[in-house]
Amino acid sequence: MTEEKSLGQALEEKLLVKPKSLGELDNALLDEAHGFCEGYKEFLGCKTERDIVDYTIPLLKDRGYSAFELGRRYEAGERFYVENRGKNLIMVTVGSEPVSAGLRICVAHIDSPRLDFKPNPLFEETGMAFFKTHYYGGIKKYQWTSIPLSLHGVVLLNSGETVRIDIGNEDGDPLLCITDLLPHLARDQMLKPANKVVEAEQLNILIGCWPYDDEKVSAKVKLNIMKILFDKYGIAERDFLSAELCAVPAFKPCDIGLDRSMVGAYGQDDSVCAYTELMAELDNEDPPFTTVTVFIDKEETGSDGVTGMKSFMFRDFIEDFVSAYGLEVRHVMRRSMCLSCDVNAAVDPCWPEVFEMTNSSFLNRGPVVSKYTGSGGKYSTSDASAETVGFLRRILDEAGIPWQVGELGKTDIGGGGTIAADIAMHNLDTVDIGVPVLSMHSPLEVTSKADVYMLYKAIRAFYASTLVKP
Ligand code: MN
Ligand code: MN
C-alpha cells in the first residue's frame, strides 16, 4: 500500500527544486544517446576549424543545401549555406513565418586550444629536429608533453597553390610528441609552480633524429626532415612563412567508462555544440522561424580577426540575406533570438573547492543554461535578461527537455567568457547553453553522452518552437 503524501511532501514537490539526473528520469536514454554519439565521435575526428568546415559542406549538399546566392529571395523550406575563408559556416533553413518575424540563431565555435607553429618552426639541436610552437588558447602546458600529437593545416606556396598537411590522423601514420623530463632528474622541476613546470618555449615538437647522408651538410637531421616534407608535399623551409600549421592530440575519440556513458576526445569544447547544432539544423526541415546555424572561429583567442565573432562577417551576411526581402538588418536582429552554444565546467568531485554546488552544472543533468559568464563583478558578459532566459525556459519545458543552470565555478575563483557578448552587441537577445565538460581544454575532454544527446534535443526544440518572442 502506498502511503499518502504528507502536507509538507506535497508542498515540497510544488515549491522546491529537486534535481534528478537524466539516468534517473529515463534510464533507457543512454541507448538512444549511444547511437547519436557514434556520429559525434566521427565528427570529433575533425580537429581544426578548417577540418570541420571541409567535413560539413558535403553533408549540407547531401541534405539539400546550396551555396548562398546574393539577392535571392528564398522561399520557406529552402536551405543554403555561406562559407567564409574555409573557417566559418553559416547554414540556413528558411521558415514558414516571414523573415521579418525574426530568426532563430545558434552559434558555436569550431576552434579549440592547440599548439600553433611559429613562422620559423624548424630547428635542429643535439642531433634531433624539432618544430617550435606558440600555444593557441588557454592550456595547461604540462598536459601537452608525453602524448601523441598529429599535425594539421595548410601551406601556401609562392605559386598560389595551397598544400594541405595532415599527418597522424590515418592508421599507420607516424605520430609526434613533446618530451618531458624524467622524474629522476626533475627534482627542481617538480618544485616549480604548475605554470612553470613546462614553459611555452619548451613546447617543441620532436620530429626526427636521423641525418641526411652527406658529410658536407651541417644541419643533417633538419635537412633530412625537410627532404621528407618536400618529397611528400613539395614544400621548402621558406614556405612555413605562409602557413597555418598546428599540433593537436592524436587520440581517437573514444567511449569513457565501463558503462560507456561518456565520450573522451580532444576538442569537445566546442565540437560538442557544433555537432549538436549541425544535427538540429539538418533535422529541422520545416522550421516555423528561419533557422541560422553558425560555426565561428577564434573564440579561444578572444574572437578577433576576420573569422571571429567580432568580425562584421555575421552581420554582413544577415544584411545580405534580409535585404532581399526589403528588410533592414537591425529590425530583424531585434526580433531574433540567439543561443550562444558553448560548454560549461562540470562539477568535478576531485576538486569540490572551486565549485559552488547550488549553481554549478553537473554531468548527466542535461544542457546547462548560463545566464551570464565572465568573471568578477560580471565583467565581460552579456548577462541575458530574465525575459530571454524565460523565453528559452518555456521552449525547453514545453518540449520536456530536462536542463540545468550553471555558473563557471565559484565567484571570484576564476572565470571565462563566451561569444554571447559579441553576439548581443548586435541588439540580438542571446543566452548561453551547452553541456558540462570534465577536464575542459585538456587533451582528453570528457562529456556525458546523455547530455550531448539532450543538447541536440534542446536545439531542435528551439528551432521547432512556434513560440513568438515577447
Ligand atoms: Mn568554448
Ligand atoms: Mn574553450
Side-chain angles (χ1 to χ4, degrees), residues 109 269-270 299-300 342-343:
H109 67 92
D269 172 11
D270 199 25
E299 191 274 345
E300 296 294 359
D342 208 340
V343 296

Side-chain angles (χ1 to χ4, degrees), residues 20 31 39 77 131 145 219 223 238 295 312 315 328 334:
K20 274 193 170 172
D31 296 332
F131 283 137
T145 62
L223 180 65
R238 196 176 291 105
F295 286 177
F312 287 179
R315 190 182 185 88
E328 296 289 347
R334 182 64 188 85

Side-chain angles (χ1 to χ4, degrees), residues 56-65 81 89 91 278 282:
T56 304
I57 288 176
L59 292 183
L60 295 174
K61 288 180 174 166
D62 270 3
R63 299 289 286 264
Y65 292 74
Y81 68 91
L89 267 181
M91 301 152 265
L278 173 63
L282 292 177

Side-chain angles (χ1 to χ4, degrees), residues 161-227:
E161 189 194 336
T162 303
V163 179
R164 196 84 197 218
I165 310 277
D166 187 338
I167 303 171
N169 237 7
E170 295 294 318
D171 287 337
D173 274 3
L175 296 172
L176 309 161
C177 71
I178 294 167
T179 56
D180 196 0
L181 201 50
L182 64 167
H184 317 63
L185 297 180
R187 195 165 55 197
D188 288 349
Q189 183 197 26
M190 298 306 284
L191 293 173
K192 291 180 180 178
N195 64 349
K196 302 271 186 210
V197 164
V198 174
E199 299 203 49
E201 296 299 347
Q202 291 172 316
L203 295 174
N204 300 321
I205 301 168
L206 178 62
I207 49 171
C209 70
W210 203 250
Y212 186 82
D213 189 14
D214 186 338
E215 260 316 298
K216 291 180 178 166
V217 171
S218 53
K220 296 186 181 65
V221 178
K222 183 175 159 177
L223 180 65
N224 198 42
I225 289 293
M226 211 56 246
K227 184 179 182 305

